[in-house]
């Protein structure tokens, strides 16, 4: 496992994608990113005090059919890693976000390049300035007023991923459903700006999709942005 630490980079995911001769768990950590990327082509605004890192896993270790499961495994690794550092009530928001007190504390971007999964994670750790997203974002320090060692958090999360990948899928699913932020919330599923379903979120299903109760019938969603109706 190689660890590459950079003061500044465009995106740790892009850097790792372009890195030749990768091995499992090679990791890129940056203090700041100039072009941090989120899902669906969004920008991830990267600030000092965040944990910004990416690591890779060779596809032989995760089958192609399991693609949808990788973000869930990464989600559990972040939930567990954060819990090791600070015992708070973190939740998993399908497909890729970690929430604390109804605000986003971490986002995960999983990409596939050749036969590697690149797992990019941003965690709000010591940063406290959320500008115009302060109603939807939080950090560890924002919640506890304490400072944290960012490298420790990163290594703890990666270690937890190594544990999670060894689990049976049923164990992973039950752990993630125990932390399902969306459970029983009224939601809208949005794909490319279009509302493709509205109903009550239920469990994350055996195949990693989200079950949504619509007109007394369970519909499964595999992708989409979730908007919570308040
Ligand atoms: C999201 O919430 O949409 C996913 C955000 C993922 C951000 C992390 S920060 C480290 C890694 N490098 C990137 O460019 N993105 C991920």
């Amino acid at each position: 496992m190689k660890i590459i630490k950079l003061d500044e980079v465009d995106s740790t995911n892009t850097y790792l994608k372009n890195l030749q001769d990768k091995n499992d768990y090679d990791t890129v950590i940056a203090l700041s990113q100039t072009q941090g990327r989120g899902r669906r082509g969004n920008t991830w605004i990267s600030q000092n005090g965040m944990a910004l890192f990416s690591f890779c896993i060779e596809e032989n270790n995760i089958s192609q059919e399991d693609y949808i499961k990788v973000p869930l495994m990464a989600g559990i690794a972040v939930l567990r890693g954060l819990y090791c550092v600070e015992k708070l009530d973190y939740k998993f928001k399908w497909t890729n976000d970690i929430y604390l007190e109804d605000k986003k504390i971490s986002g995960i971007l999983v990409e596939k390049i050749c036969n590697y999964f690149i797992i990019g994670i941003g965690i709000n750790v010591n940063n406290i300035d959320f500008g115009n997203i302060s109603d939807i974002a939080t950090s560890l320090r924002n919640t506890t007023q304490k400072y944290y060692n960012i490298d420790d958090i990163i290594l703890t999360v990666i270690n937890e991923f190594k544990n999670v990948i060894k689990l049976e899928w049923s164990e992973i699913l039950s752990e993630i459903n125990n932390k399902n932020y969306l459970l029983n919330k009224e939601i809208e599923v949005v794909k490319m700006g279009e509302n493709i379903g509205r109903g009550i979120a239920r469990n994350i299903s055996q195949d990693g999709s989200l079950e949504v109760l619509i007109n007394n019938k369970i519909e499964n969603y595999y992708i989409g942005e979730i908007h919570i109706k308040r």
Side-chain angles (χ1 to χ4, degrees):
M1 169 177 170
K2 252 195 312 281
I3 299 186
I4 300 169
K5 289 175 90 171
L6 305 165
D7 285 344
E8 188 177 274
V9 68
D10 49 358
S11 150
T12 54
N13 265 40
T14 310
Y15 188 99
L16 194 52
K17 269 169 138 180
N18 294 335
L19 189 73
Q20 302 300 311
D21 302 325
K22 287 187 273 291
N23 289 301
D24 274 357
Y25 296 105
D26 282 353
T27 302
V28 178
I29 302 176
L31 295 182
S32 70
Q33 297 182 128
T34 52
Q35 290 172 57
R37 293 185 289 110
R39 290 190 309 284
R40 295 176 291 275
N42 291 334
T43 302
W44 172 270
I45 311 240
S46 306
Q47 291 178 4
N48 278 339
M50 289 177 173
L52 303 165
F53 63 107
S54 305
F55 60 94
C56 61
I57 299 288
E58 212 171 341
E59 196 199 314
N60 305 342
N61 295 330
I62 302 172
S63 72
Q64 180 65 42
E65 309 82 72
D66 284 351
Y67 196 176
I68 191 169
K69 300 176 182 171
V70 178
L72 305 186
M73 292 194 261
I76 297 193
V78 175
L79 284 168
R80 286 185 174 193
L82 285 175
Y83 196 78
C84 285
V85 172
E86 197 66 73
K87 308 242 168 317
L88 299 170
D89 190 19
Y90 310 98
K91 298 278 185 192
F92 179 78
K93 178 172 176 255
W94 186 92
T95 53
N96 290 74
D97 294 332
I98 307 300
Y99 268 53
L100 175 63
E101 297 175 345
D102 293 316
K103 294 181 176 181
K104 179 163 166 171
I105 189 167
S106 169
I108 299 164
L109 173 69
V110 178
E111 298 181 293
K112 181 100 191 307
I113 178 88
C114 303
N115 52 334
Y116 280 96
F117 286 99
I118 309 287
I119 301 166
I121 301 177
I123 310 175
N124 295 321
V125 179
N126 294 324
N127 52 311
I128 49 166
D129 180 9
F130 298 103
N132 59 0
I133 56 161
S134 59
D135 52 335
I136 54 168
T138 193
S139 66
L140 275 183
R141 185 174 151 221
N142 199 36
T143 310
T144 65
Q145 276 72 55
K146 296 193 235 168
Y147 274 94
Y148 297 86
N149 182 315
I150 293 175
D151 284 352
D152 279 356
I153 293 180
I154 293 174
L155 294 180
T156 309
V157 169
I158 296 174
N159 245 350
E160 287 301 339
F161 190 93
K162 291 179 184 171
N163 294 331
V164 170
I165 203 169
K166 289 188 213 134
L167 296 176
E168 293 293 326
W169 177 238
S170 57
E171 296 172 278
I172 295 178
L173 204 56
S174 118
E175 192 166 333
I176 210 90
N177 273 312
N178 276 333
K179 294 285 175 188
N180 181 2
Y181 178 68
L182 294 175
L183 185 65
N184 295 330
K185 289 192 164 70
E186 193 182 344
I187 60 155
E188 229 171 50
V189 187
V190 177
K191 192 177 156 199
M192 289 163 66
E194 196 190 328
N195 176 358
I196 54 165
R198 182 180 182 152
I200 308 294
R202 294 295 197 229
N203 280 325
I204 292 144
S205 159
Q206 181 61 30
D207 61 4
S209 61
L210 178 69
E211 298 174 345
V212 183
L213 185 67
I214 303 176
N215 299 330
N216 288 324
K217 191 168 161 273
I218 291 286
E219 306 273 356
N220 289 68
Y221 288 88
Y222 293 85
I223 44 168
E225 191 178 338
I226 305 297
H227 295 180
I228 297 166
K229 309 307 292 175
R230 300 198 196 254

